[in-house]
Amino acid sequence: MIIFEADTRSGRWFDFALIAAILLSVAVVMLDSIASINSRHGAALRAFEWFFTLAFTVEYLARLACVKHPLRYARSFYGIVDLLAILPSYAAFFVPELHALFDLRLLRLLRIFRLLKLAAYVEEYSMLGSALLASKRKIVIFLSVVAIIVIVNGTLLYVIEGGPGSAFSSIPTSVYFAITAVTTVGFGDITPQTDLGRAITSISMLVGWSILAVPTGIISSEMTSQRFLARPNTRTCPDCLTTGLDETAKFCRNCGTKLPPFAQDVK
């Protein structure tokens, strides 16, 4: 109830402490990458890093210990993320720095994956994920329309601007330019030279401004609908780790396992 759920005071404090530890550990990794700070405070940063590594190791082992099927959790998304949060530090400790094999500094940067652990402890992450999942078909259709537009646009530019010595040397290159035009990025590495090409590019930029609002509206409408749904709790099945179970449920809706009594602070 403390580690996997957050409907009690102790569960919420555990989550808050874990979020703080994640943010501080990522800050340590970032500071360690600054040469001037590393040269002056390298020893202190390494000590903090090992403190966080040991803390996350204890948390990982505790999660494995309090579920009925530890291997199932270890193979889950958050189980893999938890392992990535601690594995690089131990790997950098046990494997000697042989540049012929790999640069361990790159492996140490994998500790930034600790940021992914935040998604399990902030309710708004699940709300955003539900909104994206509910609008996935609309987003796929929207992206398909955008893909058609940039392919047609790039093909036209290749026909108009393409030629020997031209920057529009192929249709894929022209499509790349069409993408930068529609997204209004405009790197400037490729530019149309003819008036017709500039006209098509201008239209693409104007179209880009209009289509940028489409996915925003789709996701916003879904997030608005999420606000009117019942607030989910964090009740978790100890067997299959399904979360958000009904407060009055006696068995898991996913695997049928008998659930322990639901613990929740009175508000």
Side-chain angles (χ1 to χ4, degrees):
M1 288 186 291
I2 295 176
I3 295 178
F4 280 95
E5 301 182 11
D7 290 292
T8 60
R9 184 184 300 273
S10 55
R12 284 194 295 272
W13 276 111
F14 177 82
D15 286 355
F16 291 152
L18 200 55
I19 289 173
I22 293 168
L23 295 176
L24 288 174
S25 68
V26 172
V28 168
V29 174
M30 292 181 176
L31 291 174
D32 188 45
S33 66
I34 303 175
S36 58
I37 296 179
N38 182 273
S39 60
R40 288 181 295 177
H41 308 288
L45 291 175
R46 285 189 290 273
F48 277 118
E49 172 53 34
W50 275 109
F51 169 77
F52 289 123
T53 298
L54 293 175
F56 290 134
T57 302
V58 172
E59 181 226 352
Y60 180 68
L61 295 176
R63 289 184 181 276
L64 294 178
C66 66
V67 293
K68 293 183 179 179
H69 302 286
L71 188 59
R72 182 177 297 174
Y73 175 77
R75 293 183 298 183
S76 67
F77 172 76
Y78 289 117
I80 294 173
V81 170
D82 288 343
L83 186 61
L84 284 176
I86 60 176
L87 190 60
S89 296
Y90 291 117
F93 180 77
F94 288 108
V95 180
E97 283 193 337
L98 296 178
H99 295 284
L101 296 178
F102 54 83
D103 193 341
L104 286 179
R105 288 177 298 176
L106 297 179
L107 186 60
R108 291 173 62 197
L109 290 180
L110 287 177
R111 291 176 294 186
I112 210 73
F113 275 100
R114 288 172 183 168
L115 279 175
L116 295 178
K117 287 166 65 68
L118 288 176
Y121 310 107
V122 182
E123 181 182 340
E124 283 71 16
Y125 277 113
S126 61
M127 183 182 296
L128 178 60
S130 299
L132 289 173
L133 189 62
S135 57
K136 63 179 180 179
R137 294 184 63 183
K138 298 176 184 177
I139 294 176
V140 169
I141 293 173
F142 166 75
L143 292 177
S144 300
V145 173
V146 174
I148 293 172
I149 291 174
V150 297
I151 291 174
V152 172
N153 197 330
T155 304
L156 287 175
L157 287 172
Y158 173 71
V159 173
I160 297 170
E161 298 283 341
S166 172
F168 296 85
S169 58
S170 65
I171 291 180
T173 303
S174 302
V175 169
Y176 155 77
F177 171 77
I179 293 173
T180 62
V182 168
T183 56
T184 67
V185 176
F187 292 117
D189 53 343
I190 302 175
T191 55
Q193 302 299 319
T194 65
D195 293 336
L196 184 56
R198 293 192 183 102
I200 294 175
T201 302
S202 300
I203 295 173
S204 300
M205 293 177 182
L206 294 176
V207 170
W209 278 108
S210 62
I211 66 176
L212 284 176
V214 175
T216 304
I218 293 174
I219 298 174
S220 298
S221 63
E222 292 294 341
M223 292 189 69
T224 301
S225 64
Q226 293 284 330
R227 294 178 58 186
F228 296 99
L229 298 177
R231 182 182 180 274
N233 57 57
T234 57
R235 192 180 188 188
T236 304
C237 173
D239 191 79
C240 68
L241 303 178
T242 299
T243 189
L245 300 175
D246 189 80
E247 298 177 10
T248 60
K250 298 185 182 297
F251 299 91
C252 175
R253 65 170 182 266
N254 183 49
C255 66
T257 299
K258 187 175 182 180
L259 299 174
F262 179 52
Q264 185 180 35
D265 290 342
V266 178
K267 298 180 181 179

